[in-house]
mmCIF file of all heavy atoms in Angstrom:
data_model
loop_
_atom_site.group_PDB
_atom_site.id
_atom_site.type_symbol
_atom_site.label_atom_id
_atom_site.label_comp_id
_atom_site.label_asym_id
_atom_site.label_seq_id
_atom_site.Cartn_x
_atom_site.Cartn_y
_atom_site.Cartn_z
ATOM 1 N N PRO A 861 -19.678 23.025 51.041
ATOM 2 C CA PRO A 861 -18.965 24.232 51.471
ATOM 3 C C PRO A 861 -19.643 24.882 52.660
ATOM 4 O O PRO A 861 -20.809 24.613 52.976
ATOM 5 C CB PRO A 861 -19.002 25.121 50.230
ATOM 6 C CG PRO A 861 -20.160 24.653 49.452
ATOM 7 C CD PRO A 861 -20.275 23.173 49.713
ATOM 8 N N LYS A 862 -18.903 25.726 53.298
ATOM 9 C CA LYS A 862 -19.416 26.358 54.513
ATOM 10 C C LYS A 862 -20.607 27.252 54.207
ATOM 11 O O LYS A 862 -21.571 27.320 54.964
ATOM 12 C CB LYS A 862 -18.292 27.155 55.171
ATOM 13 C CG LYS A 862 -18.660 27.697 56.542
ATOM 14 C CD LYS A 862 -17.451 28.333 57.200
ATOM 15 C CE LYS A 862 -17.791 28.809 58.605
ATOM 16 N NZ LYS A 862 -16.614 29.434 59.262
ATOM 17 N N PHE A 863 -20.553 27.921 53.046
ATOM 18 C CA PHE A 863 -21.652 28.785 52.637
ATOM 19 C C PHE A 863 -22.290 28.173 51.392
ATOM 20 O O PHE A 863 -21.797 28.342 50.288
ATOM 21 C CB PHE A 863 -21.134 30.201 52.347
ATOM 22 C CG PHE A 863 -20.392 30.804 53.492
ATOM 23 C CD1 PHE A 863 -19.003 30.827 53.495
ATOM 24 C CD2 PHE A 863 -21.072 31.313 54.582
ATOM 25 C CE1 PHE A 863 -18.320 31.383 54.564
ATOM 26 C CE2 PHE A 863 -20.388 31.866 55.648
ATOM 27 C CZ PHE A 863 -18.999 31.900 55.646
ATOM 28 N N ARG A 864 -23.413 27.415 51.601
ATOM 29 C CA ARG A 864 -24.006 26.660 50.505
ATOM 30 C C ARG A 864 -24.726 27.544 49.498
ATOM 31 O O ARG A 864 -25.060 27.108 48.411
ATOM 32 C CB ARG A 864 -24.957 25.615 51.062
ATOM 33 C CG ARG A 864 -24.243 24.490 51.752
ATOM 34 C CD ARG A 864 -25.237 23.474 52.260
ATOM 35 N NE ARG A 864 -26.106 24.006 53.303
ATOM 36 C CZ ARG A 864 -25.760 24.131 54.581
ATOM 37 N NH1 ARG A 864 -24.542 23.782 54.973
ATOM 38 N NH2 ARG A 864 -26.605 24.597 55.470
ATOM 39 N N GLN A 865 -24.998 28.815 49.857
ATOM 40 C CA GLN A 865 -25.663 29.668 48.896
ATOM 41 C C GLN A 865 -24.740 30.060 47.747
ATOM 42 O O GLN A 865 -25.152 30.729 46.806
ATOM 43 C CB GLN A 865 -26.188 30.939 49.585
ATOM 44 C CG GLN A 865 -25.110 31.796 50.229
ATOM 45 C CD GLN A 865 -24.895 31.414 51.692
ATOM 46 O OE1 GLN A 865 -25.191 30.269 52.050
ATOM 47 N NE2 GLN A 865 -24.407 32.338 52.504
ATOM 48 N N ASP A 866 -23.493 29.674 47.829
ATOM 49 C CA ASP A 866 -22.556 29.984 46.755
ATOM 50 C C ASP A 866 -22.701 29.045 45.564
ATOM 51 O O ASP A 866 -21.938 29.164 44.606
ATOM 52 C CB ASP A 866 -21.107 29.885 47.272
ATOM 53 C CG ASP A 866 -20.819 30.958 48.300
ATOM 54 O OD1 ASP A 866 -21.540 31.967 48.279
ATOM 55 O OD2 ASP A 866 -19.890 30.766 49.088
ATOM 56 N N ARG A 867 -23.661 28.105 45.614
ATOM 57 C CA ARG A 867 -23.891 27.148 44.529
ATOM 58 C C ARG A 867 -22.625 26.346 44.212
ATOM 59 O O ARG A 867 -22.230 26.184 43.055
ATOM 60 C CB ARG A 867 -24.364 27.847 43.253
ATOM 61 C CG ARG A 867 -25.705 28.530 43.387
ATOM 62 C CD ARG A 867 -26.173 29.074 42.067
ATOM 63 N NE ARG A 867 -27.456 29.756 42.221
ATOM 64 C CZ ARG A 867 -28.127 30.306 41.202
ATOM 65 N NH1 ARG A 867 -27.624 30.242 39.991
ATOM 66 N NH2 ARG A 867 -29.275 30.891 41.418
ATOM 67 N N GLU A 868 -21.997 25.827 45.232
ATOM 68 C CA GLU A 868 -20.755 25.081 45.063
ATOM 69 C C GLU A 868 -20.834 23.775 45.835
ATOM 70 O O GLU A 868 -21.614 23.635 46.781
ATOM 71 C CB GLU A 868 -19.551 25.892 45.536
ATOM 72 C CG GLU A 868 -19.267 27.134 44.704
ATOM 73 C CD GLU A 868 -18.094 27.917 45.242
ATOM 74 O OE1 GLU A 868 -17.680 27.638 46.389
ATOM 75 O OE2 GLU A 868 -17.602 28.824 44.536
ATOM 76 N N PHE A 869 -20.020 22.835 45.418
ATOM 77 C CA PHE A 869 -19.813 21.591 46.164
ATOM 78 C C PHE A 869 -18.376 21.159 45.942
ATOM 79 O O PHE A 869 -17.729 21.549 44.949
ATOM 80 C CB PHE A 869 -20.802 20.499 45.743
ATOM 81 C CG PHE A 869 -20.631 20.024 44.324
ATOM 82 C CD1 PHE A 869 -19.827 18.921 44.027
ATOM 83 C CD2 PHE A 869 -21.278 20.682 43.280
ATOM 84 C CE1 PHE A 869 -19.683 18.483 42.735
ATOM 85 C CE2 PHE A 869 -21.133 20.245 41.985
ATOM 86 C CZ PHE A 869 -20.334 19.140 41.698
ATOM 87 N N ILE A 870 -17.851 20.353 46.847
ATOM 88 C CA ILE A 870 -16.441 19.961 46.816
ATOM 89 C C ILE A 870 -16.364 18.447 46.703
ATOM 90 O O ILE A 870 -17.070 17.717 47.424
ATOM 91 C CB ILE A 870 -15.690 20.443 48.077
ATOM 92 C CG1 ILE A 870 -15.750 21.980 48.173
ATOM 93 C CG2 ILE A 870 -14.243 19.967 48.056
ATOM 94 C CD1 ILE A 870 -15.173 22.513 49.466
ATOM 95 N N VAL A 871 -15.510 17.988 45.835
ATOM 96 C CA VAL A 871 -15.240 16.560 45.663
ATOM 97 C C VAL A 871 -13.772 16.312 45.981
ATOM 98 O O VAL A 871 -12.890 17.036 45.497
ATOM 99 C CB VAL A 871 -15.562 16.093 44.230
ATOM 100 C CG1 VAL A 871 -15.188 14.627 44.048
ATOM 101 C CG2 VAL A 871 -17.035 16.311 43.915
ATOM 102 N N ILE A 872 -13.537 15.303 46.791
ATOM 103 C CA ILE A 872 -12.158 14.946 47.145
ATOM 104 C C ILE A 872 -11.671 13.920 46.120
ATOM 105 O O ILE A 872 -12.025 12.737 46.174
ATOM 106 C CB ILE A 872 -12.069 14.377 48.573
ATOM 107 C CG1 ILE A 872 -12.647 15.369 49.577
ATOM 108 C CG2 ILE A 872 -10.629 14.036 48.919
ATOM 109 C CD1 ILE A 872 -12.700 14.847 50.997
ATOM 110 N N HIS A 873 -10.878 14.387 45.164
ATOM 111 C CA HIS A 873 -10.323 13.524 44.131
ATOM 112 C C HIS A 873 -9.011 12.912 44.620
ATOM 113 O O HIS A 873 -8.476 13.287 45.670
ATOM 114 C CB HIS A 873 -10.076 14.313 42.846
ATOM 115 C CG HIS A 873 -11.331 14.762 42.153
ATOM 116 N ND1 HIS A 873 -12.096 13.919 41.384
ATOM 117 C CD2 HIS A 873 -11.956 15.972 42.136
ATOM 118 C CE1 HIS A 873 -13.131 14.582 40.896
ATOM 119 N NE2 HIS A 873 -13.073 15.836 41.340
ATOM 120 N N TYR A 874 -8.496 12.002 43.844
ATOM 121 C CA TYR A 874 -7.216 11.377 44.199
ATOM 122 C C TYR A 874 -6.096 12.415 44.179
ATOM 123 O O TYR A 874 -5.075 12.268 44.858
ATOM 124 C CB TYR A 874 -6.894 10.231 43.235
ATOM 125 C CG TYR A 874 -6.374 10.666 41.893
ATOM 126 C CD1 TYR A 874 -5.014 10.747 41.630
ATOM 127 C CD2 TYR A 874 -7.251 11.012 40.868
ATOM 128 C CE1 TYR A 874 -4.541 11.152 40.398
ATOM 129 C CE2 TYR A 874 -6.799 11.411 39.641
ATOM 130 C CZ TYR A 874 -5.432 11.482 39.391
ATOM 131 O OH TYR A 874 -4.973 11.872 38.168
ATOM 132 N N ALA A 875 -6.280 13.509 43.404
ATOM 133 C CA ALA A 875 -5.256 14.544 43.291
ATOM 134 C C ALA A 875 -5.569 15.750 44.165
ATOM 135 O O ALA A 875 -4.885 16.766 44.045
ATOM 136 C CB ALA A 875 -5.112 14.981 41.833
ATOM 137 N N GLY A 876 -6.589 15.676 44.999
ATOM 138 C CA GLY A 876 -6.880 16.783 45.899
ATOM 139 C C GLY A 876 -8.329 17.210 45.816
ATOM 140 O O GLY A 876 -9.132 16.680 45.044
ATOM 141 N N GLU A 877 -8.655 18.186 46.635
ATOM 142 C CA GLU A 877 -10.013 18.699 46.681
ATOM 143 C C GLU A 877 -10.231 19.694 45.542
ATOM 144 O O GLU A 877 -9.370 20.524 45.255
ATOM 145 C CB GLU A 877 -10.270 19.390 48.015
ATOM 146 C CG GLU A 877 -10.170 18.455 49.219
ATOM 147 C CD GLU A 877 -10.417 19.188 50.516
ATOM 148 O OE1 GLU A 877 -10.691 20.401 50.455
ATOM 149 O OE2 GLU A 877 -10.337 18.555 51.583
ATOM 150 N N VAL A 878 -11.418 19.623 44.927
ATOM 151 C CA VAL A 878 -11.774 20.538 43.853
ATOM 152 C C VAL A 878 -13.149 21.097 44.154
ATOM 153 O O VAL A 878 -14.098 20.342 44.430
ATOM 154 C CB VAL A 878 -11.777 19.833 42.476
ATOM 155 C CG1 VAL A 878 -12.195 20.822 41.386
ATOM 156 C CG2 VAL A 878 -10.417 19.248 42.170
#
Side-chain angles (χ1 to χ4, degrees):
K862 188 173 183 180
F863 304 101
R864 289 181 295 280
Q865 61 268 25
D866 294 338
R867 296 186 181 182
E868 294 178 346
F869 66 93
I870 300 173
V871 176
I872 304 175
H873 291 282
Y874 78 95
E877 297 179 2
V878 178

